[in-house]
């Protein structure tokens, strides 16, 4: 009796790249420990615990019957109000709860935003791999927008306009950037928004890491000071990094009423509501932990400065960009390409980083290291791993 052929799976899922972080962590299983303790710089996770008072509230609220039921599909009002007030202070522009929708994490915020907008979508390269994967799974075309190390991995206005002329209907900008850490200048962000308006395209601005910008960088742009922003801009935010709660999956979308009306369909279908206990705890945390967040920003800046010093000690390696949580390193010219280099570092030296090809075409010579994950002694040990 012949063996039946395997049942078919979705061609879109089959064509989507394998998850990057589990792939690299799988290599670590072959590391025998000869080069000292394993240092994992793959996933962007806060390298310190949540505030104790936030943990206490999360624990209490998780056991509260009131947070166990369904909530509003666009998020509980206290958190929407708290985030609106926080954004008003950060960006120097008015916001209300009506501008905010709470989501079950920022990855889902992006996926639902793309479901509302469609495509083609312009993604600067290197791109955040989950953004590209979300588009692949949804069958939404992507237009790669190459960014060069010589430009600090910041897209150029000329490149953006060319991609819009090529048919792009949505432009995605991530700043501070994942994977490079690059911070996009306010002038470039303003020019990108103007180009989108001129070409009738949406601008999606992902500022997941905005809490780790230097204090003097607030506001990082003036887009929200124009009341018409609601007609063509969608803003994404994550509570995961700033409050050290990535496992609780809470993100946010800021948008105008026309987009919001369509978004409600995606919210109701794909999430129903975001986690209720975490929303209630974060509604308290947003105003109460403002000083604590500022202290964490200083911690990350210290780790970034330490990594910059470490990078100067690496013969053959070149630091092409650094910011927020990330360093983007060019592997030595006389060595293997990034995939082989990253696998060798994981299996032989116990250093886990993400090779550039996970972040799009043309990245075969780069490696992303999330230095925010670890404390200063581990950063100081990196030269021995890479040397």
């Amino acid at each position: 009796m012949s063996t039946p052929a395997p049942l078919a799976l979705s061609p879109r899922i089959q064509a989507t790249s394998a998850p990057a972080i589990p792939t690299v962590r799988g290599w670590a299983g072959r590391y025998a420990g000869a080069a000292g303790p394993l240092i994992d710089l793959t996933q962007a996770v806060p390298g310190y615990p949540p505030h104790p008072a936030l943990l206490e509230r999360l624990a209490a609220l998780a056991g509260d019957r009131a947070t166990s039921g369904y909530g509003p599909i666009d998020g509980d009002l206290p958190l929407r109000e708290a985030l609106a007030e926080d954004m008003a202070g950060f960006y120097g522009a008015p916001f209300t709860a009506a501008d905010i929708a709470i989501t079950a994490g920022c990855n889902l915020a992006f996926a639902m935003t793309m479901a509302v907008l469609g495509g083609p979508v312009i993604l600067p390269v290197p791109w955040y791999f989950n953004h590209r994967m979300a588009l692949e799974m949804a069958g939404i075309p992507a237009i790669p927008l190459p960014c060069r190390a010589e430009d600090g991995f910041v897209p150029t206005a000329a490149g953006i306009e060319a991609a819009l002329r090529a048919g792009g209907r949505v432009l995605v900008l991530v700043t501070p950037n994942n994977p490079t850490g690059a911070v996009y200048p306010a002038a470039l962000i303003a020019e990108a928004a103007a180009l989108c308006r001129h070409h009738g395209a949406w601008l999606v601005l992902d500022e997941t890491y905005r809490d780790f910008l230097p204090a003097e960088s607030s506001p990082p742009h003036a887009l929200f000071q124009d009341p018409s922003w609601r007609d063509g801009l969608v803003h994404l935010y994550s509570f995961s990094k700033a409050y050290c709660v990535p496992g609780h999956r809470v993100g946010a979308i800021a948008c105008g009423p026309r987009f919001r009306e369509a978004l409600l369909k995606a919210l109701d279908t794909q999430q129903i509501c975001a986690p209720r206990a975490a929303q209630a705890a974060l509604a308290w945390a947003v105003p109460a932990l403002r000083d604590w967040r500022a202290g964490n920003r200083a911690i990350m800046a210290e780790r970034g400065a330490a990594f910059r010093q470490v990078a100067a000690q690496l013969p053959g390696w070149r630091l092409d960009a650094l910011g927020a949580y990330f360093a983007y390193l060019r592997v030595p010219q006389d060595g293997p390409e990034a995939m082989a280099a990253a696998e060798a570092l994981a299996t032989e030296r116990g250093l886990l980083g993400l090779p550039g090809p996970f972040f799009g075409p043309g990245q075969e010579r780069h490696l992303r290291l999330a230095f925010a994950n670890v404390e200063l002694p581990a950063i100081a040990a990196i030269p021995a791993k890479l040397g």
Side-chain angles (χ1 to χ4, degrees):
M1 182 174 180
S2 62
T3 303
L7 297 178
L9 300 174
S10 162
R12 290 177 183 172
I13 291 290
Q14 292 287 81
T16 299
S17 303
I21 292 167
T23 297
V24 175
R25 287 181 174 169
W27 296 339
R30 290 151 46 202
Y31 176 58
L38 187 78
I39 299 177
D40 187 349
L41 304 182
T42 54
Q43 195 162 28
V45 296
Y48 41 78
H51 192 282
L54 177 56
L55 286 175
E56 290 175 8
R57 287 174 183 267
L58 284 166
L61 288 162
D64 189 333
R65 181 177 177 180
T67 64
S68 298
Y70 290 126
I73 62 175
D74 58 351
D76 291 351
L77 184 59
L79 181 55
R80 290 166 53 210
E81 290 177 332
L83 182 59
E85 182 181 357
D86 185 71
M87 290 181 69
F90 186 80
Y91 292 104
F95 291 88
T96 71
D99 297 318
I100 306 296
I102 303 301
T103 65
C106 198
N107 270 12
L108 185 58
F110 179 84
M112 291 189 293
T113 294
M114 295 301 111
V116 172
L117 297 181
V121 177
I122 302 166
L123 288 184
V125 182
W127 53 47
Y128 174 41
F129 48 77
N130 282 151
H131 284 176
R132 182 67 183 100
M133 292 167 71
L135 296 178
E136 286 177 324
M137 286 189 281
I140 297 174
I143 299 175
L145 174 58
C147 299
R148 306 187 311 157
E150 294 84 352
D151 298 321
F153 287 108
V154 174
T156 64
I160 291 171
E161 180 153 34
L164 289 166
R165 289 187 182 279
R169 293 184 57 251
V170 179
L171 170 64
V172 175
L173 298 181
V174 182
T175 177
N177 186 257
N178 179 2
T180 66
V183 176
Y184 294 178
L188 183 277
I189 295 172
E191 196 162 6
L195 286 167
C196 286
R197 282 194 301 272
H198 178 73
H199 289 275
W202 286 87
L203 173 59
V204 175
L205 186 62
D206 183 334
E207 293 190 282
T208 291
Y209 297 94
R210 57 103 160 159
D211 295 280
F212 303 98
L213 288 165
E216 60 272 16
S217 298
S218 178
H221 55 79
L223 297 190
F224 293 121
Q225 294 168 24
D226 178 355
S228 70
W229 72 264
R230 295 171 177 84
D231 299 329
L233 171 64
V234 178
H235 182 268
L236 307 183
Y237 178 70
S238 171
F239 295 90
S240 294
K241 317 301 180 184
Y243 299 92
C244 306
V245 290
H248 287 280
R249 309 310 304 142
V250 186
I253 298 173
C255 59
R258 181 168 170 265
F259 177 90
R260 181 188 185 84
E261 182 180 359
L263 175 66
L264 292 175
K265 301 175 186 179
L267 292 169
D268 188 51
T269 303
Q270 297 191 34
Q271 70 172 27
I272 300 181
C273 66
R276 303 285 312 288
Q279 287 189 72
L282 286 166
W284 165 83
V286 170
L289 299 184
R290 194 165 284 125
D291 291 343
W292 179 76
R293 279 191 289 158
N296 292 338
R297 183 177 64 229
I299 290 172
M300 289 304 172
E302 181 182 37
R303 292 182 185 181
F307 191 94
R308 193 176 292 278
Q309 292 180 341
V310 159
Q313 307 170 32
L314 302 175
W317 294 80
R318 189 177 79 198
L319 180 62
D320 278 342
L322 180 146
Y325 271 41
F326 307 113
Y328 207 57
L329 286 168
R330 184 174 179 85
V331 301
Q333 197 61 37
D334 58 354
E337 291 195 339
M339 288 296 288
E343 185 172 2
L345 286 169
T347 59
E348 299 170 14
R349 308 297 299 171
L351 179 68
L352 303 187
L354 294 184
F358 285 123
F359 303 105
Q363 306 305 304
E364 292 80 8
R365 304 301 303 176
H366 282 90
L367 182 72
R368 189 197 81 174
L369 299 179
F371 59 77
N373 299 9
V374 295
E375 297 182 354
L376 297 179
I379 293 175
I382 289 174
K385 300 278 192 182
L386 290 175

